[in-house]
């Protein structure tokens, strides 16, 4: 029986997420020379924490980080820090103590190293033995989402899980991007089948504007089935020597039905400098403790510009 024909009750639940964090972050040098870009803060929480919290809010229990050199800060962030806890406790800083302690309890964290920087597809392949025979999410932390009226407070990855529960196929999260930015993304094509879903017919990594079939970009949220690993294992590296995530998805499309789902949340490409700044503004404006004052500052600043 093909996976999409299985009754909902027979489908295994989505319990695991892979978060690749091994990249060099060259777009943010020199800041990334010794600090992982995934630890850059949006206000006071690192990018990686947002994505972990999104995963947990979607019911994910186990998180596999694919790490590389100079990424120890990420492991430390999701671990206990007894000295800091002791200090905060002594100073009576209860709220801070709770915030620091709960990080290690959010999920089961597992780490695997990508020994060579051979691309996102290769990074995900490193988690193969930890995923087993289950569907799983892949979430890239420099793609962040904030709420807007369309998302109704639901985390971005929930859209993928809901779609999977309905149709039982791999699901690629997409957003519309301006036509002059399609060269920065994997661009998908497909037939609309209702409920914000497309049955995918193709995908192309970072096409020139003139070659792009649509302006629907994959944006860092994927729900895969274990068959994807074999496609990554067999994929030929591109010109840059990397195995792109797109290659695995192409392999899947040639063998089974794959859907793309429109993510209704507001998307920020925090892997680019402008997107990162926009994400900071959005997250700061949404904060109860800062939003109003920050907005007053921005309005004043723009008036005087
Ligand atoms: C990667 C993927 C690309 C995707 C993008 C945004 O590119 O290769 O298909 O659209 O992430 O999530 P990168 O931004 O790492 O160059």
């Amino acid at each position: 029986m093909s996976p999409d024909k299985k009754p909902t009750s027979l489908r295994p639940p989505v319990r695991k997420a892979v978060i690749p964090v091994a990249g060099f972050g060259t777009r943010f040098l020199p800041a990334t020379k010794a600090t992982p870009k995934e630890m850059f803060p949006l206000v006071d929480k690192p990018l990686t924490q947002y994505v972990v919290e999104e995963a947990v809010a979607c019911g994910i229990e186990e998180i596999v980080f694919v790490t590389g050199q100079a990424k120890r800060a990420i492991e430390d962030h999701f671990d206990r820090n007894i000295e800091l806890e002791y200090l905060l406790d002594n100073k009576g800083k209860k709220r801070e103590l709770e915030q620091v302690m709960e990080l290690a309890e959010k999920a089961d964290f597992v780490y695997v190293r990508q020994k060579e920087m051979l691309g996102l597809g290769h990074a995900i392949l490193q988690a193969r033995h930890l995923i087993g025979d289950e569907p799983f999410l892949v979430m890239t932390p420099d793609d962040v989402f904030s709420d807007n009226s369309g998302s109704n407070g639901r985390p971005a990855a929930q859209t993928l899980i809901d779609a999977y529960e309905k149709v039982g196929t791999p699901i690629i999260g997409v957003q519309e991007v301006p036509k002059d930015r399609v060269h920065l993304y994997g661009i998908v094509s497909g037939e609309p089948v209702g409920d914000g879903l497309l049955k995918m017919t193709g995908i192309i990594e970072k096409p020139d504007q003139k070659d792009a079939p649509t302006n629907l970009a994959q944006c860092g949220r994927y729900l895969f089935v274990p068959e994807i690993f074999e496609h990554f294992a067999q994929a030929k590296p591109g010109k840059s020597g990397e195995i792109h995530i797109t290659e695995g998805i192409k392999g899947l499309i040639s063998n089974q039905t794959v859907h793309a789902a429109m993510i209704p949340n507001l998307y920020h490409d925090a892997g680019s400098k402008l997107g990162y700044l926009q994400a900071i503004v959005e997250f700061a404006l949404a904060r109860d403790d800062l939003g109003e004052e920050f907005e007053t500052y921005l309005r004043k600043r723009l008036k005087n510009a």
Side-chain angles (χ1 to χ4, degrees):
M1 196 187 288
S2 74
D4 43 335
K5 296 281 173 346
K6 275 185 192 160
T8 315
S9 57
L10 294 185
R11 274 181 217 132
V14 185
R15 300 184 310 115
K16 296 182 181 178
V18 175
I19 305 186
V21 291
F24 281 125
T26 44
R27 273 182 269 186
F28 277 92
L29 279 168
T32 45
K33 188 175 171 219
T35 306
K37 75 171 171 187
E38 298 82 7
M39 289 303 290
F40 284 8
L42 296 179
V43 191
D44 51 12
K45 275 197 253 176
L47 288 169
T48 316
Q49 189 174 334
Y50 285 98
V51 88
V52 163
E53 287 175 354
E54 181 187 330
V56 171
C58 296
I60 295 297
E61 295 161 7
E62 188 174 314
I63 291 181
V64 181
F65 280 112
V66 183
T67 72
Q69 274 172 32
K71 301 287 178 166
R72 276 291 302 276
I74 297 169
E75 286 181 44
D76 288 343
H77 189 72
F78 294 101
D79 198 1
R80 300 279 302 268
N81 179 336
I82 305 294
E83 244 174 83
L84 177 64
E85 289 170 19
Y86 183 76
L87 187 121
L88 293 172
D89 195 24
N90 266 352
K91 294 198 166 191
K93 292 194 179 276
K94 268 193 152 182
R95 202 175 66 89
E96 288 83 352
L97 179 63
E98 270 167 30
Q99 281 177 336
V100 160
M101 283 182 69
E102 72 178 21
L103 275 167
E105 307 301 328
K106 282 190 188 290
D108 287 334
F109 297 105
V110 186
Y111 298 88
V112 61
R113 295 273 281 217
Q114 184 186 21
K115 297 190 187 93
E116 284 180 280
M117 297 297 104
L118 295 178
L120 189 52
H122 179 262
I124 299 164
L125 184 56
Q126 308 314 302
R128 184 179 200 166
H129 62 292
L130 297 165
I131 294 298
D133 195 23
E134 295 185 31
F136 63 102
L137 287 177
V138 170
M139 308 168 78
T140 48
D142 51 11
D143 295 298
V144 286
F145 295 86
S146 51
D147 286 337
N148 62 6
S149 52
S151 57
N152 247 333
R154 279 158 22 112
Q158 190 65 46
T159 301
L160 276 61
I161 294 181
D162 291 350
Y164 171 76
E165 280 169 1
K166 263 193 211 142
V167 294
T169 69
I171 311 282
I172 311 301
V174 295
Q175 284 248 328
E176 284 189 72
V177 294
K179 292 208 167 69
D180 59 359
R181 289 180 62 81
V182 289
H183 65 285
L184 299 170
Y185 300 97
I187 298 294
V188 317
S189 40
E191 316 283 340
V193 290
D195 285 341
L197 294 180
L198 293 180
K199 185 173 172 216
M200 280 179 66
T201 49
I203 183 158
I204 171 167
E205 180 71 10
K206 304 197 174 102
D208 289 342
Q209 192 175 334
K210 63 174 175 28
D211 302 325
T214 69
N215 64 337
L216 294 174
Q218 53 182 359
C219 52
R221 298 293 180 274
Y222 311 85
L223 197 159
F224 287 141
V225 290
E227 287 81 2
I228 188 96
F229 291 121
E230 202 43 45
H231 296 294
F232 285 137
Q234 283 172 20
K236 290 208 179 73
K239 275 185 224 141
S240 60
E242 292 176 50
I243 295 172
H244 293 299
I245 192 163
T246 309
E247 289 309 306
I249 298 171
K250 265 189 212 160
L252 273 185
I253 296 174
S254 65
N255 271 315
Q256 59 179 284
T257 304
V258 179
H259 288 93
M262 294 292 287
I263 295 185
N265 308 56
L266 208 54
Y267 170 59
H268 310 286
D269 180 357
S272 78
K273 286 173 197 165
L274 192 60
Y276 176 61
L277 292 173
Q278 288 165 348
I280 293 178
V281 171
E282 283 300 331
F283 281 85
L285 287 174
R287 287 273 295 246
D288 290 341
D289 58 340
L290 285 168
E292 236 179 85
E293 257 182 278
F294 185 50
E295 186 170 343
T296 309
Y297 166 77
L298 286 180
R299 285 188 191 282
K300 234 196 241 166
R301 177 70 182 75
L302 293 174
K303 217 163 132 195
N304 297 334

